[in-house]
Amino acid sequence: MHFNRRNFMKATGASVFLPAIIGRSWAAEAGAPLPIPEVMDLGNGSMGELTAQLGRHEFLQGQSTQTAGYSQSYLGPLIRMNRGETANVRLDNTIDEPISVHWHGLHIEGYLDGGPHTPVLPNTPREAALDIEQPAATLWYHSHIMERTGAHVWYGLAGMLWIDDPDAPDSGLPETYGEDDLPIVVQDRKFGSNGELVYTPRGPSLMMGYRGDEILVNGAIQPEASVPAGMVRLRILNGSNARIYHFGFEDGRRFYQVGSDGGLLPAPVDMNVLTLSPAERAEIIVDFSDGKDVRLMSGPDNNAMGGMGGGGGGMMGGMMGGSSPASDANGSFEVMRFTVNSGLTPKVTTLADTLAGAAEVEFGEPVRRRSFQLQMRGSMMSGSMKINGVEMKMDVINEQVNIGDTEIWEVSADEMQHPFHVHGTSFKVLSHQGVPTNSANIGLKDVVLVNGKAEILVKFDRMADANAPYMYHCHILEHEDFGMMGQFTVT
Ligand code: C2O
Ligand code: CU
Ligand code: CU
């Protein structure tokens, strides 16, 4: 793999701004069929194997690109686990540097969490037995090595993880995998003139997070899904390093959010724009019964230091936040397309007003308040990333939480918006910018995009000791890798 720590650590600027468009040896073509990842079903005691490996993947016509993946060339299988069971998986690594498998959103003990303290070393397999005791939800997994998470995820070390709850009442939502229940992993990537992935965060693209100008869904550039003329469930993960999406359909049609990070909402929420910051998930139901083909679009990502128009397109967008996809006059760009296939019989044609099996957590009264300031200091070209004045250090425990306690965490964001993530739990968002939120519409979360200030209600029921503490961090991966992360124990 040709990403390396030295490139990565350098905070110089200049040449990254010269787009390598002239003399490209490739064409990026949209419209390939949406790849549907293979399922690794860890239900009923079956053992899975996940091997981090290098590979070559065809993103661009006639080009093969160096990538990494879990048991495949790019990304990993869709893993399914059942609530109330133990999921067994053997983790291996054939890449010549440590990787990890962090189970993002899973409520499991610190030593199983797959964070920076529990790497999978090259050719040193380890087994994990994960007790699944949380509501059905759409989660994901990715490598999470100190200073390497951004590069690992960029090259492909990530995948989706779905928790099913066999005992939950039937929500009536679509659930035919690959047909009316679709995994949608959205990522932006950048390719050099030679067709290889380019990951060179430095200067502004480090300070504001690294963005690409090609949009991939499940590893294919702006693909096309063929769907039945009924209700279709899209389980969307923003698997990008830094880009924030504002999803909406080209024809402005409304859709319903039915799930967020931690599981199903109590009732569908009617909307026509869905914002997802890095690592956030949403399940939405889209009605295709009118038989019309439609494109899924996203508005521009304006998250930049001082609000200077990060990935918004045009000269400033290109300068300030790295690359931007080809956009229309409003800065909107295509994510993927849906074509209605009259040959497929729709299985679900209605959506209930309330959802059986909504995710719930008993929080109880908060006993303590903590505050976390996500800080970016310095100039656009170089600076530092900290939380409460300190950079992440592997041997420093920043916070200690008592198991079973409920707390309010007050998170404030410096300079730009930051997606704040907490390991080991799902939380409730109490307020944003001082305004109480309607948490029924937001659902249980493990990432919250903080613009100014947010208050969250957290509770931890799993142990994490100082040998394998949990993390809290900004999920803009360049911010995380550069120190906007902290560690806490739960004992
Ligand atoms: Cu998705 Cu600490 O990570
Ligand atoms: Cu996580
Ligand atoms: Cu950040």
Side-chain angles (χ1 to χ4, degrees), residues 102 104-105 421 423:
H102 166 53
H104 179 127
H421 170 50
H423 286 210

Side-chain angles (χ1 to χ4, degrees), residues 102 108-119 144 146 392-401 409 421-424 460 462-473 485-491:
H102 166 53
I108 46 175
E109 292 187 24
Y111 76 97
L112 293 166
D113 182 56
H117 293 270
T118 50
H144 203 317
M146 183 73 177
M392 160 80 184
K393 292 264 178 307
M394 286 289 278
D395 55 0
V396 174
I397 301 295
N398 305 90
E399 304 286 334
Q400 294 170 288
V401 175
W409 286 13
H421 170 50
V422 186
H423 286 210
F460 300 93
R462 303 286 186 283
M463 294 264 285
D465 65 20
N467 294 317
Y470 287 136
M471 308 287 137
Y472 51 81
H473 58 90
M485 176 155 70
Q487 317 194 84
F488 67 104
T489 55
V490 178
T491 52

